[in-house]
Amino acid sequence: MIVEQFEVCNELGLHARVASRIVRELSKFESNVIVKKEGKDFNLKSVLGVMTVNAKKGDVLTIEFSGSDEAAAVEAVRVLFLNKFGEK
């Protein structure tokens, strides 16, 4: 298991379009990807899971990756966050 923290830097946070991008990217991996926020777990491989996180700009999310390709999944998520999910 790998645990990383990522800051939401895009203006609108984790909204529907971003959720779709995250799920589409993570569907390429076998690993489970769970975000922990306020004592709750949310599945980042589900649009509903991403939307329910309700993360806003500036929120720091703790994300757990577990599975055979977890290192590659971490890198994919890192790229998404660094590129602000393709937004400005």
Side-chain angles (χ1 to χ4, degrees):
M1 178 186 305
I2 300 173
V3 179
E4 296 272 342
Q5 290 191 321
F6 297 91
E7 181 177 355
V8 178
C9 294
N10 63 313
E11 289 297 321
L12 300 175
L14 300 186
H15 56 85
R17 189 172 44 249
V18 168
S20 176
R21 285 186 180 131
I22 291 170
V23 171
R24 186 178 28 216
E25 184 64 26
L26 291 178
S27 70
K28 301 173 185 175
F29 303 98
E30 290 182 22
S31 294
N32 292 319
V33 184
I34 304 295
V35 67
K36 297 191 172 277
K37 184 177 179 215
E38 299 172 357
K40 297 179 183 174
D41 294 353
F42 303 93
N43 181 359
L44 285 190
K45 293 179 86 171
S46 156
V47 171
L48 183 60
V50 176
M51 296 293 298
T52 308
V53 173
N54 195 31
K56 308 287 186 227
K57 182 178 180 178
D59 286 352
V60 176
L61 304 176
T62 300
I63 304 177
E64 292 182 353
F65 303 82
S66 60
S68 61
D69 54 1
E70 60 191 25
V74 169
E75 188 56 33
V77 169
R78 181 174 290 117
V79 168
L80 285 170
F81 273 81
L82 287 174
N83 291 328
K84 298 181 183 180
F85 312 103
E87 299 183 340
K88 296 182 179 185

